[in-house]
Amino acid sequence: MRWADEQRWHRYLAGYHDQRPAITERLLTSADASPYVWLVEPLHDVDGPILDVACGSAPTRPLLAYAHWLGLDYSTGELCYAAEHERGPLVRARADALPVATNGVAAVCAAMCLQVLTPWDAVLGEITRVLRPGGRLAALVPGASGLNPAQLLLWARIMWWLGMRRQPWPNPQARDGLPRLLHRAGFTVRANARRTFTVPLATAADAELLIEGLYLPGVADHRVRTARQRLASLARPGRRVALPLRRVVAVHE
């Protein structure tokens, strides 16, 4: 990604979350099971500080209420939402310049963020820097596989209505390829699991939440409206949309 494109993406990402605080949490907590509960399972026995990078509305905080936890995000909208819900302590900062001491944390939690944080090398370098030797990284990212033919067709239709081929993540390699990237960075991957969650498509409100939860830089408003309307026309009681996710747990040696 070129520097100018990276700056444009950074502005889009900050504005998106400022205008839609807790959007990712709202979408994922509508699922049939909690991806956040799944994500933090490997962190329950961590002895030491846990840094939640790009924590957003801090949905992991209540799940790690006993922990020495710090949430970090750049979006003021997300941080205000988290603070209003007493999910702290919180710090506003970028993930490529973490205000944390070297070897300062026992674990890093990264929920649905590694595919969008830039510049990738700097972000991964900062995560590596702040983790103490033997420190743990637990990351949740979108999966690139795990859809049956019907769900593949549904997602292809959504992308078609939006005039896109796929979500414009700047780091698509940090999805199913995340274990390989971490291995190259000196991590030992301890777990790499894929799980498909589903969110409801029973009402027009469900369709609106799903479209709102997508990153759509440069997509014309009329295409977004069309996608909402077309998806809402498919809403039926009991209908669900699949979200394949991947959880990677790695240790910094």
Side-chain angles (χ1 to χ4, degrees):
M1 178 179 282
R2 297 191 305 272
W3 182 87
D5 292 337
E6 186 175 291
Q7 294 304 305
R8 190 177 301 115
W9 170 259
H10 180 71
R11 288 193 297 271
Y12 169 80
L13 192 63
Y16 172 90
H17 283 283
D18 282 345
Q19 295 163 20
R20 302 169 179 82
I23 180 60
T24 305
E25 178 182 359
R26 288 171 53 209
L27 179 61
L28 292 189
T29 54
S30 74
D32 51 336
S34 172
Y36 296 114
V37 169
W38 187 48
L39 170 62
V40 303
E41 283 174 356
L43 300 177
H44 286 306
D45 63 345
V46 168
D47 183 15
I50 297 174
L51 177 65
D52 194 325
V53 173
C55 67
S57 54
T60 69
R61 183 48 169 153
L63 304 174
L64 296 168
Y66 59 88
H68 183 187
W69 179 99
L70 173 66
L72 179 150
D73 203 278
Y74 194 72
S75 165
T76 54
E78 295 281 13
L79 291 175
C80 286
Y81 181 97
E84 289 168 1
H85 289 76
E86 300 181 347
R87 298 171 176 178
L90 302 161
V91 175
R92 183 173 185 261
R94 287 180 52 141
D96 61 338
L98 299 175
V100 177
T102 298
N103 301 334
V105 299
V108 169
C109 180
M112 298 298 286
C113 63
L114 295 184
Q115 75 279 7
V116 300
L117 294 176
T118 59
W120 167 255
D121 289 341
V123 171
L124 185 56
E126 280 291 271
I127 290 173
T128 302
R129 179 184 66 80
V130 302
L131 274 172
R132 64 182 57 164
R136 196 176 306 173
L137 169 65
L140 184 70
V141 293
S145 57
L147 297 176
N148 62 36
Q151 289 290 335
L152 278 171
L153 178 59
L154 176 57
W155 274 109
R157 294 173 75 180
I158 293 171
M159 292 296 106
W160 174 262
W161 296 330
L162 291 167
M164 308 168 65
R165 293 185 61 189
R166 61 182 66 88
Q167 278 274 267
W169 294 303
N171 308 321
Q173 73 277 16
R175 299 168 67 199
D176 287 351
L178 182 59
R180 181 173 63 255
L181 295 177
L182 293 176
H183 176 74
R184 290 175 181 172
F187 285 81
T188 298
V189 176
R190 294 292 173 83
N192 174 25
R194 189 190 72 203
R195 182 172 171 183
T196 299
F197 296 82
T198 65
V199 296
L201 184 57
T203 67
D206 294 331
E208 183 172 356
L209 176 60
L210 184 61
I211 298 299
E212 189 179 12
L214 302 176
Y215 294 117
L216 304 174
V219 176
D221 290 344
H222 75 273
R223 283 195 174 275
V224 177
R225 288 194 299 270
T226 296
R228 286 190 184 120
Q229 293 166 1
R230 297 284 179 85
L231 190 60
S233 73
L234 300 179
R236 301 286 187 279
R239 179 163 285 176
R240 304 190 71 84
V241 180
L243 298 178
L245 302 179
R246 184 171 296 277
R247 185 187 68 183
V248 179
V249 182
V251 173
H252 176 222
E253 303 295 353

